[in-house]
């Protein structure tokens, strides 16, 4: 018998949209998958034996560092933070954005380079605007990737 712990889902909860959290909460109970939210502010969770919360101290990357510290290979991390996604992939986890974009070893370095480039542009005073609002196609892409991961992790 293996003493390997089942894979789980980690949520970088400070910036995760409520609608995405709701999808995840329903999936946790439906599939009996452990989900842990990590944030630097208090969160209200629905009652479920599959949901837990870790509150970290405020500060730059404190929640990200906690997720990376606790992450095991094969775990899924929900984040739109590109540097965190890079660390997750390096450690053998999977990273999925709330918009349904699956980060992988083949695309994360180019996304990290683009993020850094955009930081340089913004710091020079150029207004780049923010991301478009989360739409139905984003939610569907997220749900599809989540279902695929849940099915594969239960095998």
């Amino acid at each position: 018998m293996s003493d390997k712990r089942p894979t789980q889902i980690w949520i970088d909860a400070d910036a995760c949209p409520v609608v995405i959290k709701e999808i995840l909460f329903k999936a946790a109970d439906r599939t009996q998958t452990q989900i842990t939210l990590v944030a630097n502010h208090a969160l209200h969770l629905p009652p479920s034996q599959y949901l837990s919360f870790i509150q970290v101290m405020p500060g730059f990357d404190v929640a990200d560092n906690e997720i990376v510290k606790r992450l095991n290979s094969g775990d899924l991390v929900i984040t739109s933070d590109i540097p965190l996604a890079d660390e997750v992939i390096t450690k053998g986890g999977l990273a999925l954005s709330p918009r349904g974009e699956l980060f992988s070893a083949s695309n994360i370095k180019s996304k990290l380079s683009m993020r850094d480039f955009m930081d340089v542009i913004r710091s020079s005073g150029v207004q780049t605007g923010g991301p478009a609002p989360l739409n139905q196609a984003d939610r569907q892409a997220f749900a599809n990737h989540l279902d695929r991961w849940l099915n594969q992790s239960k095998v």
Side-chain angles (χ1 to χ4, degrees):
M1 179 181 224
S2 172
D3 57 333
K4 181 182 180 282
R5 146 185 106 58
T7 53
Q8 75 170 60
I9 297 172
W10 298 89
I11 303 175
D12 182 8
D14 285 321
C16 187
V18 171
V19 67
I20 297 302
K21 288 179 196 166
E22 290 170 354
I23 291 169
L24 288 158
F25 295 163
K26 289 176 186 171
D29 285 328
R30 185 181 79 244
T31 64
Q32 300 179 347
T33 301
Q34 182 63 43
I35 294 181
T36 304
L37 293 88
V38 182
N40 62 24
H41 63 281
L43 295 175
H44 173 72
L45 299 181
S48 170
Q49 67 184 29
Y50 302 106
L51 300 177
S52 59
F53 171 62
I54 299 170
Q55 185 170 356
V56 296
M57 298 299 295
F60 186 71
D61 287 344
V62 176
D64 298 357
N65 294 338
E66 189 67 25
I67 290 170
V68 171
K69 179 176 92 175
R70 293 172 180 254
L71 175 76
N72 287 310
S73 180
D75 285 354
L76 176 64
V77 176
I78 309 304
T79 186
S80 55
D81 184 309
I82 304 294
L84 172 57
D86 184 39
E87 288 187 76
V88 166
I89 291 165
T90 299
K91 196 167 174 185
L94 296 149
L96 176 62
S97 83
R99 293 183 175 277
E101 183 174 15
L102 190 61
F103 300 113
S104 67
S106 65
N107 71 14
I108 194 64
K109 295 304 180 192
S110 65
K111 294 197 177 298
L112 199 54
S113 293
M114 181 56 78
R115 176 207 172 264
D116 293 344
F117 173 71
M118 294 304 290
D119 275 352
V120 170
I121 296 292
R122 283 188 292 273
S123 69
S124 71
V126 174
Q127 297 292 325
T128 59
L134 197 67
N135 62 37
Q136 184 59 39
D138 296 330
R139 291 191 291 271
Q140 189 61 54
F142 177 84
N144 289 344
H145 279 296
L146 177 64
D147 283 344
R148 207 169 298 125
W149 181 85
L150 287 166
N151 288 331
Q152 290 172 352
S153 70
K154 299 298 180 188
V155 174

